[in-house]
Amino acid sequence: MLRNTALAAGALIVAGLTAAPAQADLKVCNNTESTVNVAMGYKDNKGWATEGWWTIAPQKCTPLLKGDLIARYYYVFAIDRDKGGSWGGKSMMCTNTKVFTIRGIADCESQGYTKTGFFEVDTREEKDWTVSLSGDKTTQGQ
């Protein structure tokens, strides 16, 4: 009886260890009452890239990158679609009005893109990070 109990306990421990691993992602949470559009910039082994647009409903979160993060710094730009204004910063990268993936961050205008200021996200080399959008925007609504 004791042996069966020990085997059952061992099976539960193994089952717990083989459960699905935790999701490691770069997520953006929209903690506002508006729908937001989000673009992201990053540097990988091919150089600089920007991607957009993710649409995030009010009070929802969306992963922009799935899996373990490989860089310390990522860059985010977001637009409040309902009230206007945006969250941005001093790191200039290229964006487009339609869904995009752009390689490189130089000469945006000559390539037909818009030069846009992104804010820097320091993940401190964590494998999983969440960015929250709320509060004051860097540009105000109309």
Side-chain angles (χ1 to χ4, degrees):
M1 176 78 170
L2 183 58
R3 182 170 186 264
N4 288 342
T5 304
L7 286 174
L12 289 174
I13 292 169
V14 171
L17 294 176
T18 60
Q23 284 290 113
D25 302 323
L26 175 65
K27 293 180 273 311
V28 173
C29 290
N30 175 11
N31 296 328
T32 74
E33 298 303 318
S34 298
T35 298
V36 298
N37 286 349
V38 178
M40 170 188 61
Y42 56 90
K43 189 173 185 180
D44 62 14
N45 59 0
K46 297 178 186 174
W48 286 101
T50 53
E51 295 183 35
W53 296 99
W54 287 266
T55 300
I56 307 175
Q59 306 300 321
K60 299 289 183 190
C61 298
T62 297
L64 304 189
L65 286 174
K66 293 184 179 184
D68 289 354
L69 302 181
I70 59 170
R72 177 172 178 170
Y73 297 101
Y74 293 88
Y75 300 84
V76 174
F77 176 75
I79 299 169
D80 183 325
R81 286 186 19 194
D82 298 331
K83 296 180 181 174
S86 62
W87 294 266
K90 297 178 183 178
S91 299
M92 303 308 288
M93 299 185 179
C94 303
T95 59
N96 200 359
T97 56
K98 306 271 186 214
V99 172
F100 66 90
T101 299
I102 301 169
R103 282 283 168 191
I105 58 174
D107 303 320
C108 298
E109 292 89 354
S110 68
Q111 297 180 69
Y113 302 128
T114 302
K115 191 175 187 180
T116 304
F118 286 61
F119 65 87
E120 184 177 83
V121 176
D122 182 355
T123 67
R124 298 187 297 235
E125 298 182 349
E126 296 289 333
K127 301 294 182 203
D128 182 67
W129 198 263
T130 300
V131 176
S132 295
L133 296 175
S134 62
D136 293 338
K137 300 172 195 145
T138 54
T139 64
Q140 296 307 307
Q142 302 163 9

